[in-house]
Every structure is written in C-alpha cells, then in structure tokens.
Amino acid sequence: MASQWLKDNQLPANFHQWFEENQAPDSELMSDNPSGPVPTIQNIVSTVNLACNLNLAEISLKTMNSEYNPKRFSAVIMRIKEPKTTALIFASGKMVCTGAKTEQESRLAARKFARVVQKLGFPVRFNGFRIQNMVGSCDVKFPVRLENMICGHEVYSVYEPEIFPGLIYRMKKPRVTILVFASGKIVIAGAKKKEDIFTAFDNIYPVLEQYKRV
Amino acid sequence: MSEENYCMDCRRRTTVVLDRASGDAVCLECGLVLESRFIDETAEWRNFADDSSGHDPNRVGSPVNPLLGDTVLSTVVSGGPASGLSRLCRRPDPDNVLFAFNTIADMADRLSLVATIKDRACEMYKKLHDLKSTRGKKLEILAAACIFIACRQEGKSRTVKEVCSIVNGRECINRAGMKEFNRAVEFIKEKLKVEMGESFIEMGTANAGDYLKRFCSKLGMSHEDTRIVGETIHNLEQLDIRRSPISIAAAVIFMINQLTGSKISLRDIARVTMVGEGTIKNTYRDLQPYAHRILPERCVKGWDLKNLGPV
C-alpha cells in the first residue's frame, strides 16, 4: 500500500531543474505583496576608510583603469569591470564606491579597490565600511494623477511641473525620497538599508493606487 | 458767530455769519462770502491726566509702516561732500529690510501686481527676517520667491519663468536660475510652515486654468475665444497628456487661434507664455488626436476641423 502511494506520487523527472530555475529573487521574498511589482535596486553608494595617506599621482600612473585630474577634482577615479563599479579615492585615504547593485557586491568591490591600492605598496586597512545610499526603481504600470496627489499629500510632496516633471515625495518613515512620474514609474532614493526601499514602496503603493488615472 | 459788518455788494452794514465748518464769513442778505479760510486758533483737543489710551492725536512724521515698525525715520541730510552729519545719517538699515521691501515693490511693479500681493510678500519677508532666515541667502532671489508664493496664495499665480524674469540683475532665464529659485521657494515654505500653519502650504499646484485668462488678454483675444480656451482646458483634464500645464495652455491657445483664423502668430504666443515655439508645436501635435473630444461642442459645429492641419 505504501509502495503504491509512493509510485503514484513521484516528483516529476525534471523537478530539480525546475526548482533551480524558479527561485524567487531576494527582492520578491522581502516584500509584502510578491504578486505585485517590486522595486529593483539600481545603485548603491558606500564609503570606507583606507586609513593611510595616499599618493594620488602615483596611483593614477601605476594603474591602467584610473583617471586623475587635480585641476578638476582632487581624487582618483578608478573603475573595475567585475563588479562594474567606480571608486573615488582621496588623498586622505577615504574612498567612495558607487555602481554596485547589491550590498555584498558593494563590499566586494570596495575590497577589490583596496587590494589594488595595497598592491601599490600603501599600508591600507579596511575601516568603517558603510553603505550611505541605496537607489531603487519600479514601475507600477498605471499612470498617476500627480496634480491630485499633491492636494492630498501636500505636507510631503513637492510638484512643480515647470521645474521638474516628477513629484518629489519625502517620506518620513522610512526616511527616503521618492520621485513619482506621471507614467507610473517611480524612483526610491536615500535608503540606507534594502528593507527601507521595500517598506517605502509598500507605503507608497496604496497612495499611487488612490491617484490612479482612469 | 454773527455780527454786523460792511458787505461790499449790499453797500451797507448787514448781518455776517461766520461758518466755522467751512471757514467762511457769509453775508446773510446777499450770500456774498466776505472772508474765506478762517483760521480757528482754539485748541484742537484737550489733554487729561488720566487719559492714557493708545490714541495719540499728535500727528508728526510719515505714516508708520506696521511691517517696518519702530525704526526708519526718513529725514536725511544732503549736500556737501560726505560731511560728518550726512555720514551719521547714512546709518545702514539693519539687515537690509528696507532695501528688501523696495526690491519687492520694484519687482511687483514690473509684474503689475496689486498692493495686496505686494504687502503679503513684504509680510512674508519680514517674518523670515524675524526668524533670522534671511542671512546668507541672496536677497533678490528670496524676495522673488516671496512674491511667487504671495501670488499663489491670492490665487493669481504667476509662472516660475515670469517671476524669474523680473529678478534684479538676471535677464536670462535658464535651468540653473530656476533651480536656485525653486530652492528658495522650498526654503521659505519650510521655514514658515510652523509660523503660518497648515493653510500656508495648502497652495496647490499650477494648472493651466490659472494662467489662461492672463495669457489670452495679453494676446488681445476676445472674451468668447478666452471662454472657449477655458472650456477646452477643462475638458482635457481627463486626458493623459504628459506636458507642463503652461505648454498645454499655450498649445490650446494656438489651436483656438488657428481655428478662428486670428492673426496671433506662434511667435506672439511663445513670447507671452514664455514657452518655446518648438515645445508649443510638439504639445499641439500631442493634442491633435483628441481635438474633437476636448473642443466645446458648440464650436466644433461651426469650424472646419480639417483646418487643424499639421503645423
């Protein structure tokens, strides 16, 4: 009897392949309504202190992937291909890393930049790595009436179509800035944690639905 | 009040009445005014010891501006090269409040604004000054921002480009100037939020209806045409046209002018609304598919919509 049941309820042959292919992305797992749209993280900015004074001219000369133009900007701009990121390295040893799409990527990239500088002979450390800003974007797939939205949420919104076509919504909790465009596309910026972006989106989605243009 | 005096016309002594209200000495027999502008030398009011009400009947100096308040005596000493006395009088007014008010008055004149808007803007500036928020900010930009907000509050909005154009010393209206101006407006709204309460920020946003009457009258359009423009703009509120409301207003004016065959050219409209000619054309192209839907019905019958050809 048990063996009969087992034969009837076999997993399909390609189960393992199907399982690997259909993993929900991290972002979907984190949000409240995974069936709806979810924001994707587009950019992460982080800073780290290499804790030693650097000779920017030497760094820019000895590396192929950097530019240094002291008259324009007093930092070396270095780029690496994997993860595709850009770093601003200052003479004081402080470094800003931009362009990563996940926190782990940002940390990895910062470590790679630090390694490059270390290989040139400087006694670098990796102090105080901190994510400063995360930017995510999303499309709610329906047009939004911005001129009505500002009437309802005057305290938080700024909408001046002559100046900028998008509505600038400054949410207090979590403390992020959301740009809402009439097409329904939104940009969430100023978050320090991934959860902030998803919470902000969950907060703003009902508001956008309220001002949907029919 | 009445006495016997010699009247020139009657050529004899007659009763002459002194009317203190008009200051005339009038002959009762013939009505001739013998003496006018009689100066009454009695006291105008009486002073009492216990009477210390705020009402002081002494009239000295120019009217007190409640905004400027206690300061600003307006006598100056002039003449002669920077003498000691004139140097003393050239005491600079604290933090340029008076200068700011004069700037606001100048800019309001350039925009032909009523006194209520100008006073509101001055009041706003004074409040900012009391909060010490005017330090470190360019005076002209702050003043222009005050005017902009005052216009909005009164319901007589002026476009950002219009206000930017009258700022002292800035003839060109570019993106950078408007950004700075917008920052000043946000700054003022932020600072005065607590002072003036919720009603202050409930200003709403710009919509085409606010501006169209002014644009139409500047272009010399008739009342009928202005009304048609207004109805059209009202009808297109449901449509999803992703354009600035000023551009939409300009394009609708252009469309109506094309249909009525008036002589107002694209260049005139661009000049008055401060929208680029290319932008008006593009917006007009966006509106064309919906033309029969948004134009008021009574006009559609009379006009030949085929006239709305491509620009």
Side-chain angles (χ1 to χ4, degrees), chain A residues 154 158-160 162-163 213, chain B residues 152 160 175 186 201 239:
Chain A
E154 186 98 39
V158 172
Y159 177 48
E160 201 69 51
E162 284 184 77
I163 308 272
R213 188 187 287 264
Chain B
R152 270 275 172 92
V160 175
R175 284 271 138 201
E186 292 304 305
I201 25 181
L239 300 176

Side-chain angles (χ1 to χ4, degrees), chain B residues 7-53:
Chain B
C7 170
M8 260 61 79
D9 277 359
C10 305
R11 273 176 250 253
R12 59 186 173 86
R13 285 181 75 85
T14 51
T15 326
V16 173
V17 174
L18 174 61
D19 179 10
R20 285 176 197 274
S22 55
D24 300 332
V26 185
C27 165
L28 268 185
E29 304 274 324
C30 63
L32 177 71
V33 172
L34 295 163
E35 195 187 314
S36 59
R37 298 181 207 245
F38 172 75
I39 296 172
D40 187 338
E41 276 157 36
T42 59
E44 214 178 322
W45 65 83
R46 296 189 285 174
N47 295 316
F48 297 102
D50 56 345
D51 184 27
S52 52
S53 65

Side-chain angles (χ1 to χ4, degrees), chain A residues 74-110:
Chain A
S74 49
V76 165
I77 304 169
M78 195 184 292
R79 295 187 169 88
I80 56 175
K81 295 227 176 58
E82 183 55 48
K84 188 155 174 281
T85 45
T86 307
L88 305 172
I89 307 175
F90 291 85
S92 60
K94 294 217 168 92
M95 181 170 81
V96 180
C97 172
T98 62
K101 295 265 195 267
T102 67
E103 304 97 303
Q104 297 87 329
E105 254 185 45
S106 192
R107 196 185 171 92
L108 175 65

Side-chain angles (χ1 to χ4, degrees), chain B residues 18-281:
Chain B
L18 174 61
D19 179 10
R20 285 176 197 274
S22 55
D24 300 332
V26 185
C27 165
L28 268 185
E29 304 274 324
C30 63
L32 177 71
V33 172
L34 295 163
E35 195 187 314
S36 59
R37 298 181 207 245
F38 172 75
I39 296 172
D40 187 338
E41 276 157 36
T42 59
E44 214 178 322
W45 65 83
R46 296 189 285 174
N47 295 316
F48 297 102
D50 56 345
D51 184 27
S52 52
S53 65
H55 163 67
D56 179 13
N58 281 304
R59 299 184 291 273
V60 181
S62 53
V64 172
N65 189 338
L67 295 171
L68 298 172
D70 25 352
T71 57
V72 202
L73 301 166
S74 44
T75 316
V76 286
V77 170
S78 62
S83 62
L85 203 52
S86 65
R87 234 183 299 140
L88 275 175
C89 280
R90 214 171 309 264
R91 201 169 21 116
D93 86 283
D95 287 314
N96 276 336
V97 182
L98 190 58
F99 180 68
F101 286 173
N102 286 339
T103 316
I104 291 180
D106 274 343
M107 296 202 272
D109 266 341
R110 263 175 259 174
L111 282 175
S112 322
L113 293 174
V114 269
T116 44
I117 298 180
K118 180 179 73 87
D119 289 337
R120 221 183 240 262
C122 286
E123 194 187 313
M124 219 178 300
Y125 189 90
K126 182 80 168 83
K127 279 218 179 72
L128 278 177
H129 175 72
D130 290 338
L131 293 170
K132 303 209 197 307
S133 307
T134 51
R135 308 259 178 88
K137 294 263 182 276
K138 290 216 183 84
L139 192 137
E140 292 94 7
I141 310 237
L142 259 190
C146 286
I147 289 185
F148 179 75
I149 298 179
C151 289
R152 270 275 172 92
Q153 286 188 313
E154 293 283 324
K156 317 257 179 302
S157 301
R158 295 292 187 272
T159 69
V160 175
K161 279 196 177 155
E162 278 182 318
V163 179
C164 277
S165 68
I166 45 109
V167 174
N168 291 352
R170 249 155 259 264
E171 296 316 317
C172 60
I173 311 160
N174 54 349
R175 284 271 138 201
M178 295 214 286
K179 227 166 100 167
E180 217 185 321
F181 176 78
N182 198 40
R183 237 178 259 146
V185 173
E186 292 304 305
F187 175 75
I188 295 181
K189 279 208 253 184
E190 181 65 40
K191 292 289 167 192
L192 294 185
K193 200 169 19 176
V194 179
E195 281 260 339
M196 323 247 289
E198 284 302 310
S199 63
F200 184 67
I201 25 181
E202 307 282 323
M203 286 191 326
T205 182
N207 50 341
D210 295 344
Y211 305 107
L212 63 92
K213 283 211 195 88
R214 260 190 315 119
F215 290 159
C216 290
S217 85
K218 270 200 216 171
L219 287 167
M221 286 168 65
S222 66
H223 278 306
E224 180 59 31
D225 289 345
T226 310
R227 267 216 336 238
I228 296 174
V229 172
E231 276 189 39
T232 314
I233 289 185
H234 181 75
N235 288 345
L236 60 77
E237 259 161 40
Q238 300 92 322
L239 300 176
D240 185 15
I241 304 183
R242 314 235 178 101
R243 293 267 173 194
S244 156
I246 320 293
S247 315
I248 295 181
V252 168
I253 291 177
F254 179 64
M255 175 158 43
I256 305 292
N257 277 322
Q258 282 239 297
L259 285 172
T260 57
S262 78
K263 301 234 182 26
I264 297 172
S265 72
L266 182 60
R267 192 179 309 180
D268 291 330
I269 301 180
R271 186 178 40 90
V272 162
T273 58
M274 292 203 200
V275 180
E277 289 186 25
T279 311
I280 302 182
K281 277 197 206 159

Side-chain angles (χ1 to χ4, degrees), chain A residues 63-136:
Chain A
T63 54
M64 281 298 295
N65 51 358
S66 59
E67 52 184 86
Y68 178 46
N69 212 337
K71 283 206 205 90
R72 203 162 57 164
F73 189 56
S74 49
V76 165
I77 304 169
M78 195 184 292
R79 295 187 169 88
I80 56 175
K81 295 227 176 58
E82 183 55 48
K84 188 155 174 281
T85 45
T86 307
L88 305 172
I89 307 175
F90 291 85
S92 60
K94 294 217 168 92
M95 181 170 81
V96 180
C97 172
T98 62
K101 295 265 195 267
T102 67
E103 304 97 303
Q104 297 87 329
E105 254 185 45
S106 192
R107 196 185 171 92
L108 175 65
R111 288 201 95 97
K112 287 196 177 175
F113 285 115
R115 170 90 75 45
V116 168
V117 177
Q118 187 181 52
K119 286 221 169 112
L120 291 171
F122 297 98
V124 300
R125 306 247 294 271
F126 200 74
N127 284 354
F129 175 81
R130 195 169 146 220
I131 293 187
Q132 302 287 2
N133 182 23
M134 297 175 73
V135 179

